[in-house]
C-alpha cells in the first residue's frame, strides 16, 4: 500500500500507512478504566486510533508535536486560507462600490470584523505549530 491517503481523505486518515515487510514488533499496554477513557477522548479528538496516538506520542520530537497534530494544524491553515480568499473578495467588491458611489457599504463593518476574526484564527493556528 502506498503512503498516499485515498482522495477525499487527505487529512483524515485514522491509521498509519503500511510499511514494506509489515511491522515486526508488537507491544501490549494495560491501562486502567480511567486511562482508557482519557486515551479514547484524546484519540477521538485527533481522529486517530489509540495505537496510532500512543506511537505518535511516544515518538514525538522534543516539541511534543505529533504528525497528526501537525496535519490538523495544516488542515486548519488551508481552511483559513480559503476563508481569507473569500473574505478578501468581499472587501474588494465593497471597496469598488465605495469608490464608485462615494458611500461606505453597510456590510463593510461586518466584513472587516470577519477579517479580524480570521486574522486571530490564523495567529492561533500558527501559535499552535511548534518549531523544531
Amino acid at each position: 500500500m502506498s503512503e498516499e491517503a485515498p482522495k477525499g481523505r487527505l487529512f483524515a486518515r485514522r491509521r498509519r500507512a503500511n510499511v514494506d515487510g509489515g511491522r515486526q514488533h508488537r507491544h501490549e499496554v494495560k491501562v486502567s478504566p480511567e486511562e482508557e477513557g482519557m486515551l479514547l477522548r484524546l484519540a477521538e479528538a485527533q481522529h486517530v486510533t489509540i495505537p496510532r496516538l500512543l506511537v505518535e506520542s511516544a515518538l514525538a520530537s522534543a516539541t511534543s508535536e505529533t504528525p497528526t497534530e501537525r496535519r490538523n494544524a495544516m488542515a486548519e491553515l488551508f481552511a483559513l486560507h480559503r476563508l481569507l480568499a473569500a473574505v478578501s473578495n468581499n472587501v474588494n467588491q465593497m471597496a469598488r462600490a465605495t469608490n464608485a458611489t462615494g458611500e461606505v457599504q453597510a456590510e463593510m463593518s461586518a466584513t472587516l470584523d470577519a477579517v479580524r476574526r480570521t486574522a486571530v484564527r490564523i495567529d492561533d493556528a500558527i501559535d499552535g505549530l511548534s518549531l523544531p
Side-chain angles (χ1 to χ4, degrees):
M1 183 175 216
S2 72
E3 288 290 323
E4 296 179 21
K7 290 196 185 281
R9 295 189 60 189
L10 181 62
F11 293 111
R13 186 175 173 90
R14 288 183 55 87
R15 297 178 61 192
R16 295 186 299 155
N18 292 347
V19 295
D20 291 337
R23 291 189 168 80
Q24 305 297 317
H25 304 280
R26 177 185 180 107
H27 301 279
E28 184 175 323
V29 178
K30 293 185 179 185
V31 296
S32 69
E34 294 81 17
E35 293 167 331
E36 176 70 6
M38 290 174 62
L39 288 171
L40 283 169
R41 282 191 296 279
L42 288 169
E44 185 61 32
Q46 293 187 29
H47 305 291
V48 296
T49 62
I50 290 177
R52 180 174 179 170
L53 173 76
L54 292 173
V55 169
E56 286 183 354
S57 297
L59 300 178
S61 65
T63 62
S64 299
E65 179 180 69
T66 66
T68 298
E69 291 169 332
R70 180 161 290 276
R71 182 199 72 218
N72 290 342
M74 288 175 52
E76 175 69 8
L77 286 172
F78 283 128
L80 290 171
H81 183 268
R82 287 188 301 274
L83 177 61
L84 196 56
V87 170
S88 67
N89 186 39
N90 290 347
V91 170
N92 285 337
Q93 290 172 352
M94 285 185 276
R96 192 173 304 123
T98 299
N99 288 335
T101 64
E103 296 178 15
V104 176
Q105 302 291 315
E107 300 87 14
M108 182 71 81
S109 177
T111 301
L112 293 177
D113 286 342
V115 169
R116 287 183 195 97
R117 285 192 308 272
T118 303
V120 168
R121 284 181 61 193
I122 290 170
D123 288 344
D124 291 345
I126 291 172
D127 289 344
L129 294 173
S130 57
L131 299 175

